[in-house]
Amino acid sequence: YAEFRAVLADAGLLPPRGGPQKRHMHFPPAGGKAAPPFAAAPAPAPAPAFAADFSGGFPQYLWISLDDSASVVQEGMPAEGLCVYYDKQCAELFRSGQSVLQEAVEDVNSEVVITHDPDWDQMPEIAEAIKQTGGEENCYAVGTLPSHGLWAVGLAGGWKFRESACKLALSIALVATTGEIDRFASSHPDFAAFCNAAGTPGAASFEPAPKRAKVEATKTTLPPAKGKFAMDERYDSRSGKGGGGGGGGGAAPSQAKGNGKKGGPFAGKKYAKPLPRDSPIWVQLSQEQLAPEVLQEFGSDAVAVATDRPHTALYQGIDAVLKDLVAAPEEDITFLDDPNWDQFPEVGQALKPHSSVEEPIQLSTCSNLGCWGVGVGRTPDARRATAKVALAAMIALKAAEIGEVPDLSSHPEFSDFVGSVQPPI
């Protein structure tokens, strides 16, 4: 009864359902103190010419100019600032930018202030300047370095990548201003080359870095498997064993058991599209269906994760992550296994836009923090591990929304994972 549920939601008796919801991830200034006034930064010194070998290709970048009413200009900073778009093809360059900033600034954590504005409502003048200059619309973060009178902008869908782009832009502006490009030419040639290209106000490039050529994998033909785990058998989530029975080559593909449904998830699907592995997937429950009872106290959005390798570092360290995020994980977190989509078909339907394969799922909930997640995997261990990662990601994102950004420095794999989550705008 979708119409009746809408009435209850309007009355505040049930949480709203469906439709993209804006996510605010506002990061408070470091130290909570306003920066003292300072003189505007001097014009960037021309970068000396040098011969530096670099891998080729830069991320998109542009300089923008703000008027006197802009908040950063009101604080005494220059009107011009460099904007850099995150590009995974240039991952090494972004790592170099962070390294350079750590070498050039005494204490990055205390001196660099990064303010995230994914919805363009904290500093609308930045958004307008980007559009006026011809830049692509994207979520952005503004980084300031008050001790040197500099500011810069990083653009990306995930907050972790925004910070990375922001630090690269700041390091470029800093090195171009101080004229210390030769200092990093040998240790970071990609950075030095990018500084030569992007370090002067007015410079811009709207072309993304060229994609790296893929290395074709050598195909190896394996002999057919024998015994009860033959290649044409599928995992039977109800028994925890290979489907089709023991002995011989097992059942024919059309009769192989998968997640309890006739024909199995891969039967008759030569080009089946499974869920992406080890990457965050954003799912939303349908507005046309009533949410499962156990999820009605939560929102309609969640992160889902699928894996075939639950023993990698991301999953092995997730218990430690949950202990840092949840007061009493053993008491506050509940897991609900649903390998056949019998209990939560609505969640299964929410996964269908991302995959043509119906894979076993497990839900994880934390009612104290109002979060839930979805784990996907063919084995119980895989589902439990991914359910934990999905829930932890939602908890971290929700904390960031209200300005309580969790410290994930001791969990680098999980930190990178959360940084790649891209909620709908």
Side-chain angles (χ1 to χ4, degrees):
Y1 302 96
E3 296 84 359
F4 181 62
R5 190 193 191 289
V7 173
L8 295 178
D10 291 340
L13 300 177
L14 287 177
R17 292 281 312 285
Q21 301 176 10
K22 288 187 177 182
R23 306 248 159 207
H24 303 272
M25 299 169 67
H26 307 316
F27 289 65
K33 298 180 180 179
F38 44 77
F50 66 95
D53 296 328
F54 66 100
S55 59
F58 297 133
Q60 297 179 68
Y61 63 90
L62 69 152
W63 283 79
I64 58 175
S65 181
L66 306 176
D67 58 34
D68 293 341
S69 63
S71 57
V72 291
V73 179
Q74 289 287 324
E75 294 174 3
M77 297 191 188
E80 293 79 18
L82 176 62
C83 304
V84 175
Y85 290 78
Y86 185 84
D87 192 329
K88 64 181 180 180
Q89 304 295 330
C90 307
E92 187 60 38
L93 173 60
F94 287 95
R95 283 192 287 268
S96 294
Q98 296 189 56
S99 298
V100 169
L101 195 61
Q102 289 174 347
E103 291 182 40
V105 178
E106 184 174 345
D107 187 351
V108 173
N109 291 333
S110 63
E111 293 190 48
V112 175
V113 180
I114 297 181
T115 304
H116 289 254
D117 190 8
D119 299 314
W120 293 30
D121 55 6
Q122 301 299 299
M123 300 181 179
E125 65 273 17
I126 299 287
E128 185 61 30
I130 291 173
K131 290 194 292 184
Q132 291 295 328
T133 313
E136 293 183 3
E137 297 185 11
N138 206 334
C139 303
Y140 65 81
V142 179
T144 58
L145 185 58
S147 59
H148 291 74
L150 294 172
W151 63 277
V153 180
L155 298 99
W159 69 270
K160 187 77 172 180
F161 295 141
R162 284 198 295 274
E163 290 200 356
S164 182
C166 202
K167 289 178 181 178
L168 173 60
L170 265 181
S171 62
I172 291 291
L174 177 60
V175 171
T177 300
T178 59
E180 294 184 325
I181 190 170
D182 282 339
R183 173 183 170 187
F184 305 101
S186 58
S187 57
H188 302 287
D190 279 21
F191 173 85
F194 186 46
C195 189
N196 267 342
T200 304
S205 174
F206 301 105
E207 294 294 327
K211 293 185 177 181
R212 301 180 185 273
K214 292 184 178 180
V215 179
E216 294 294 335
T218 303
K219 294 184 178 180
T220 303
T221 302
L222 297 175
K226 298 181 180 181
K228 66 177 182 179
F229 293 106
M231 292 296 290
D232 62 354
E233 295 184 340
R234 303 301 174 199
Y235 177 80
D236 185 341
S237 58
R238 292 173 297 179
S239 65
K241 300 178 181 179
S254 61
Q255 299 298 323
K257 292 185 178 180
N259 58 350
K261 299 184 179 181
K262 185 176 180 180
F266 300 97
K269 297 181 180 179
K270 185 176 180 181
Y271 301 104
K273 175 191 173 186
L275 289 169
R277 262 39 189 172
D278 309 307
S279 299
I281 305 159
W282 196 265
V283 296
Q284 291 181 308
L285 296 177
S286 171
Q287 186 179 4
E288 304 301 322
Q289 293 179 310
L290 185 66
E293 183 177 356
V294 296
L295 297 181
Q296 289 181 7
E297 63 181 290
F298 305 107
S300 60
D301 298 3
V303 168
V305 190
T307 193
D308 296 318
R309 304 178 301 163
H311 303 296
T312 57
L314 172 63
Y315 305 105
Q316 290 296 296
I318 194 59
D319 286 335
V321 174
L322 286 172
K323 287 182 179 178
D324 287 346
L325 298 176
V326 183
E330 298 82 2
E331 300 175 7
D332 298 339
I333 297 177
T334 302
F335 298 96
L336 303 163
D337 201 33
D338 187 16
N340 303 307
W341 292 18
D342 294 331
Q343 301 180 62
F344 310 110
E346 303 89 349
V347 177
Q349 291 297 323
L351 289 170
K352 282 193 171 182
H354 306 279
S355 171
S356 60
V357 178
E358 297 182 8
E359 302 183 72
I361 63 175
Q362 181 171 128
L363 269 60
S364 51
T365 65
C366 182
S367 55
N368 286 357
L369 299 176
C371 296
W372 64 287
V374 186
V376 182
R378 300 187 196 176
T379 67
D381 285 347
R383 294 196 294 278
R384 179 58 56 90
T386 50
K388 290 179 179 180
V389 170
L391 179 63
M394 286 300 296
I395 293 173
L397 289 171
K398 187 168 184 177
E401 288 179 4
I402 60 177
E404 298 177 359
V405 184
D407 181 8
L408 302 177
S409 57
S410 58
H411 311 292
E413 292 84 8
F414 179 74
S415 178
D416 290 341
F417 177 88
V418 175
S420 65
V421 176
Q422 297 192 25
I425 300 300

